[in-house]
Amino acid sequence: ALHAELATILREWSKAIALFDGIFNRLDADGQSRLSCRFAASRAWCRANIGDVESALSDLESIIESMAGSQDFDDLSIIYARMHSIYELSSSPKKSKQYLEMSNRCRVAFLEIQSSLLSSLGPVVESMSVKQKENPT
């Protein structure tokens, strides 16, 4: 999965597509089935970048059908950002804008959750630091 994502970052679109294709057969066995929509969105983005917009849009349709609330906000933000970019390439400005807004909302929600966790865990971490200073091992 990391190789596929790295190939995507490096804009090695065909290589990334092949790596993502190999991932899908192993997701259930590896206990990573919740990531299938995120990987499919990344593969669709790669397909769009090699000019196969029709396959990319087909991937998006299957992603939309299978998302059903099983994603975390950070994954949703990535998925929606990929969808935004693909619809932008396919000259669908209304859908592109819609998914950009959804991506931004999910990113903000994710950052709020992180901030809340940090606030909650701050005192715990601090108390652990104080105890460790008092009783070094």
Side-chain angles (χ1 to χ4, degrees):
L2 292 176
H3 287 123
E5 291 186 14
L6 178 60
T8 303
I9 291 167
L10 295 173
R11 298 175 182 240
E12 297 173 349
W13 310 120
S14 296
K15 180 180 179 180
I17 291 167
L19 290 166
F20 282 121
D21 286 343
I23 291 170
F24 292 113
N25 296 330
R26 299 188 318 264
L27 284 177
D28 287 335
D30 292 346
Q32 299 295 320
S33 58
R34 70 174 187 83
L35 298 174
S36 64
C37 289
R38 192 176 103 196
F39 293 146
S42 291
R43 181 183 64 186
W45 169 239
C46 294
R47 286 179 170 173
N49 277 285
I50 62 169
D52 191 1
V53 177
E54 187 174 315
S55 291
L57 292 172
S58 176
D59 280 351
L60 294 186
E61 293 302 320
S62 66
I63 293 166
I64 292 167
E65 292 173 8
S66 62
M67 283 176 52
S70 63
Q71 307 295 314
D72 297 323
F73 282 121
D74 56 337
D75 291 331
L76 284 171
S77 180
I78 292 167
I79 292 166
Y80 291 143
R82 294 290 191 213
M83 295 170 100
H84 150 70
S85 298
I86 292 165
Y87 282 119
E88 189 172 58
L89 284 175
S90 71
S91 300
S92 300
K94 186 175 178 182
K95 282 188 176 184
S96 176
K97 182 181 177 188
Q98 171 190 355
Y99 285 110
L100 177 60
E101 290 170 358
M102 292 168 73
S103 176
N104 288 335
R105 282 195 303 268
C106 289
R107 184 178 47 81
V108 167
F110 176 69
L111 293 173
E112 288 172 354
I113 290 170
Q114 281 188 318
S115 178
S116 173
L117 288 172
L118 184 60
S119 295
S120 298
L121 293 176
V124 174
V125 172
E126 180 63 30
S127 76
M128 291 170 59
S129 299
V130 170
K131 288 179 183 178
Q132 187 173 15
K133 288 178 185 176
E134 293 172 356
N135 300 317
T137 53

